[in-house]
Amino acid sequence: MSTAIAVTSADLVLPPTDPGTPQAALLPPPESRSLDASLADMQQLLARYGHVVVVCPTAAPTAVEHRLHAVRALLESDRIALVRTDLPPLGAAVLVRQLRQLAGCDFSPGVLASAARLLAHYIYAGAVLGSVSRLDRVPVSLGSHLKGWLPGAHFAVLAGPTPQIVRLGGGEGHLSGPEFATELLLARGQLQTDWPTSTLVPRWRIPGPVHEAPLPASSPGWWGTGKLVEFAAYLPDLPVLYQLVASVRRETCHWCGMELIGDRCGFCAAPLAPPSPPDPGARALGPGAQAGAHARALGPGARSARAALP
């Protein structure tokens, strides 16, 4: 069965990149849905898809996280993955869309859930802000805070993968961008500026057209101001995303048995088990004896197959 990608907010649902991109399942907030109704919603998703990967930003209200944990505990299901992300709202929406794209491929639910951490490293999420005085999710120096009180001061801020902040027009450098081909998505707030298209696009060598989306309702709270233009540069092509995830070595979670990539299971959050210590007896035999033992264990065809390898 396939895997459903569920979200905790409508802001996390961007238009699909192509007709083959699966839709996201929207889980209503706790204040508008009873616990029994939330349980029924999740049961329907599990019955239809088999596994559910829920993306919930770390900035979401605490009640949302509590509801998700309650649903998973009451259903006693190991087929629900809760994926948390520190990305700002627009970047989180891009991540969700990439997971939706990959959900239509042949990846197992465990690989899909653990791929979220990998994909987040390739999303350059930031914003142009009219003030950083209330920005508390990205490290801001005292000097930037003081300059934020100057009339007309604008700042370019990158939340990830590496936090950066520069004052525009102040000769203080520029944002370091991706070293691979990306597309840019913009969401305009109350700040009037064309800096992302006039400066960021040529500096980051973004070849394609700039796309726009409505500003997520949670963006002003995340960035500390409504005077902003949020942006996210990302890998748009499914073949590239597929190759990125497929190239990572897969492991099996020692706790729940799900397949994973990286160092943590996407379903039970257990860390990757450390490698087993080498067998002292094998060390005593020496490398030649070990190879012979392995060949004998595999059968008579093992030596010829090994010789055929590059």
Side-chain angles (χ1 to χ4, degrees):
M1 302 179 74
S2 58
T3 303
I5 304 299
V7 295
T8 57
S9 168
D11 289 342
L12 296 174
V13 183
L14 292 172
T17 55
D18 59 72
T21 301
Q23 293 295 327
L26 177 60
L27 304 179
E31 62 269 18
S32 67
R33 199 76 165 162
S34 68
L35 178 57
D36 287 342
S38 294
L39 289 170
D41 292 341
M42 186 61 70
Q43 286 176 320
Q44 289 180 359
L45 287 174
L46 290 173
R48 180 177 178 183
Y49 294 98
H51 293 81
V52 180
V53 174
V54 184
V55 180
C56 178
T58 54
T62 304
V64 174
E65 181 184 3
H66 288 173
R67 172 62 59 88
L68 292 174
H69 283 289
V71 167
R72 188 169 64 173
L74 290 172
L75 291 179
E76 297 182 346
S77 176
D78 57 358
R79 295 181 292 150
I80 304 171
L82 304 182
V83 176
R84 307 306 303 274
T85 177
D86 294 325
L87 287 170
L90 192 64
V94 167
L95 174 63
V96 168
R97 186 166 63 182
Q98 290 179 335
L99 290 174
R100 289 162 53 196
Q101 290 176 273
L102 293 171
C105 301
D106 57 356
F107 290 119
S108 67
V111 168
L112 195 61
S114 54
R117 297 178 66 199
L118 170 68
L119 296 174
H121 288 291
Y122 292 86
I123 298 175
Y124 282 68
V128 182
L129 306 178
S131 171
V132 293
S133 60
R134 296 183 179 180
L135 179 62
D136 57 4
R137 298 187 181 277
V138 179
V140 182
S141 66
L142 177 60
S144 295
H145 268 300
L146 294 176
K147 293 173 183 176
W149 295 100
L150 298 176
H154 291 170
F155 295 86
V157 183
L158 196 64
T162 303
Q164 302 173 56
I165 179 169
V166 296
R167 182 190 173 201
L168 301 185
E172 298 182 10
H174 56 83
L175 297 182
S176 299
E179 298 181 356
F180 46 87
T182 61
E183 288 187 1
L184 190 70
L185 180 66
L186 293 182
R188 299 185 183 274
Q190 301 173 8
L191 187 66
Q192 299 298 319
T193 178
D194 62 352
W195 184 85
T197 54
S198 64
T199 303
L200 196 63
V201 166
R203 180 165 288 161
W204 284 5
R205 300 178 181 178
I206 297 175
V210 176
H211 306 280
E212 296 204 20
L215 184 73
S218 56
S219 290
W222 201 99
W223 293 103
T225 178
K227 295 182 177 181
L228 80 158
V229 175
E230 193 169 4
F231 59 83
Y234 59 96
L235 294 167
D237 298 325
L238 178 56
V240 176
L241 293 172
Y242 183 94
Q243 182 60 33
L244 176 64
V245 175
S247 64
V248 182
R249 178 178 175 177
R250 303 184 190 186
E251 306 281 357
T252 300
C253 178
H254 67 95
W255 183 258
C256 70
M258 295 294 286
E259 199 174 28
L260 64 93
I261 60 175
D263 60 357
R264 188 171 297 276
C265 178
F267 274 80
C268 71
L272 184 65
S276 301
D279 184 359
R283 285 200 302 268
L285 290 173
Q290 292 179 48
H294 290 164
R296 289 192 297 273
L298 292 172
R303 293 184 185 274
S304 59
R306 184 176 181 84
L309 293 175

